[in-house]
Amino acid sequence: MALAGLRRHVGRFLSASNELMAASLSAASCAEEMQKAEGGGCRDDAAALRIKEVAMAAILVAGVLGVGLPLAGRKRRAMRTDSAAFMAAKAFAAGVILATGFVHMLHDAQNALSSPCLPAVPWRRFPFPGFVAMAAALATLVLDFLATRFYETKHRDEAARVKAAAAAALAAASSASASEEDITVVTVVEDERKAPLLQTHCHGHSHGHGHGHSHSHGHELVQVEGREGDVSEHVRSVVVSQILEMGIVSHSVIIGLSLGVSRSPCTIRPLVAALSFHQFFEGFALGGCIAQAQFKNLSAVLMASFFAITTPAGIAAGVGLSTIYNPNSPRALVIEGILDSVSAGLLIYMSLVDLIAADFLGSKMTGSLRQQVMAYIALFLGAISMSSLAIWA
């Protein structure tokens, strides 16, 4: 009897779970979402396509300008990564990213997962957007930690090999001395991007019995380990730039797809200016991190290009999928809500931990009081500006 009762309960639970799963992942259109998507009768496929083309061009230009300015200006005095103007602009961009996570992405996730089209259980019984965002932030923390340890270990191994090579070079230079007049000079040459270079200069001068004369110079450059603080800061810059790009790219794809599948000009039109503004300052924050990480030119260009084309490519993909993808179905709402929540968690973590805390609580904010006040004002202005755009988009 007990076993039969247990089987009945398990069967009912599985049946109810299957029904909820089927209702949540249905591809059929939902009447409420259809009414919202129509925008009060504002549906015109041809006009929407024209606006999407304008949006792709405007967002691409904004992204290129945003990510390119810090990279192109890192050799100029006004836009160096330690200048007051750069710190203020990066603080403004950090505020924009923070507001994007809290005000835009998390709000969109909440709207999607609390839609009447989805079954009340479990979607309206549990705060899934906040939970998924928290899980994404914690996962980013673990990834951040592992990546930092990986790069630190890699750097230590390289430094150990270089120090061994330096010792061997010095020993070889000393043993190769042909007379007491030979001199071995060791100097340190600073390299802009990496640890200092150890330069050994051997000067040999000797006379033979047949009045022969020989004069030789030897030069060798070997790299030695830099200061521990500089190494750690460089490693953090590399990790931050890569994880920030991952977070920005992931939510840029989602935004692009959402705009691309929309058929309402009334919905798309206000998004063009908002997304261009958002793309410019996200690009500036990313470009600043890439500049601080001091990547080689090719790596920096590849990272910048990948960021710049992501949202336009997402829009183009959305246009192609609009004929087979139903954005008003429960399945689309669940996917959109979860992905928006993940993006929100990534952006909130990166803006608070790796952009705001790293700059405002670290050694970088050691300038004058005026510079610090400018950075704080820029941070709040960025957050307020991006939050205000939620009125229209």
Side-chain angles (χ1 to χ4, degrees), residues 102-121:
F102 272 119
V103 180
H104 291 267
M105 304 306 295
L106 203 55
H107 175 71
D108 291 346
Q110 180 66 36
N111 282 344
L113 295 180
S114 62
S115 171
C117 296
L118 296 178
V121 179

Side-chain angles (χ1 to χ4, degrees), residues 274-295:
L275 291 180
S276 299
F277 175 86
H278 165 258
Q279 190 81 350
F280 176 84
F281 284 103
E282 273 196 346
F284 192 93
L286 178 61
C289 291
I290 294 173
Q292 288 174 330
Q294 298 177 346
F295 286 106

Side-chain angles (χ1 to χ4, degrees), residues 150-170:
F150 170 77
Y151 280 107
E152 286 179 344
T153 303
K154 181 180 177 182
H155 182 89
R156 280 196 298 267
D157 292 343
E158 290 177 354
R161 287 195 298 270
V162 167
K163 289 179 73 175
L170 289 174

Side-chain angles (χ1 to χ4, degrees), residues 13-276:
F13 175 77
L14 292 177
S15 177
S17 300
N18 290 335
E19 290 176 3
L20 289 173
M21 187 71 68
S24 299
L25 299 181
S26 172
S29 294
C30 173
E32 288 85 351
E33 293 298 320
M34 284 290 292
Q35 187 176 0
K36 284 197 299 183
E38 294 291 342
C42 184
R43 175 171 174 172
D44 186 338
D45 289 354
L49 182 59
R50 288 194 297 270
I51 299 174
K52 290 173 191 176
E53 292 171 351
V54 172
M56 283 190 283
I59 292 170
L60 178 63
V61 171
V64 170
L65 289 176
V67 75
L69 278 177
L71 297 177
R74 57 184 169 181
K75 299 294 184 183
R76 302 181 184 275
R77 185 175 182 181
M79 287 303 294
R80 284 172 50 186
T81 56
D82 57 351
S83 67
F86 177 84
M87 291 296 295
K90 189 180 175 187
F92 186 94
V96 169
I97 295 176
L98 182 65
T100 301
F102 272 119
V103 180
H104 291 267
M105 304 306 295
L106 203 55
H107 175 71
D108 291 346
Q110 180 66 36
N111 282 344
L113 295 180
S114 62
S115 171
C117 296
L118 296 178
V121 179
W123 302 109
R124 291 195 293 279
R125 288 283 186 89
F126 185 80
F128 279 100
F131 176 78
V132 174
M134 177 191 70
L138 293 176
T140 308
L141 171 64
V142 173
L143 181 62
D144 202 352
F145 170 76
L146 293 176
T148 302
R149 292 295 299 271
F150 170 77
Y151 280 107
E152 286 179 344
T153 303
K154 181 180 177 182
H155 182 89
R156 280 196 298 267
D157 292 343
E158 290 177 354
R161 287 195 298 270
V162 167
K163 289 179 73 175
L170 289 174
S174 300
S175 62
S177 298
S179 69
E180 293 182 356
E181 296 182 7
D182 292 338
I183 301 173
T184 300
V185 181
V186 180
T187 56
V188 174
V189 181
E190 292 292 336
D191 184 34
E192 182 182 359
R193 294 185 178 179
K194 298 178 181 178
L197 294 173
L198 185 68
Q199 179 178 4
T200 64
H201 174 75
C202 301
H203 178 81
H205 185 91
S206 62
H207 295 272
H209 290 291
H211 299 285
H213 180 81
S214 66
H215 189 87
S216 63
H217 293 271
H219 296 271
E220 185 171 1
L221 290 179
V222 290
Q223 198 169 33
V224 298
E225 190 172 4
R227 293 184 298 273
E228 186 65 29
D230 295 340
V231 171
S232 297
E233 185 173 343
H234 175 70
V235 168
R236 286 297 302 150
S237 298
V238 171
V239 174
V240 166
S241 61
Q242 293 179 342
I243 295 182
L244 181 62
E245 173 143 13
M246 178 190 71
I248 290 175
V249 164
S250 65
H251 96 273
S252 295
V253 171
I254 299 167
I255 291 174
L257 286 172
S258 299
L259 191 149
V261 298
S262 176
R263 298 180 179 180
S264 171
C266 300
T267 302
I268 301 171
R269 197 175 289 114
L271 286 174
V272 177
L275 291 180
S276 299

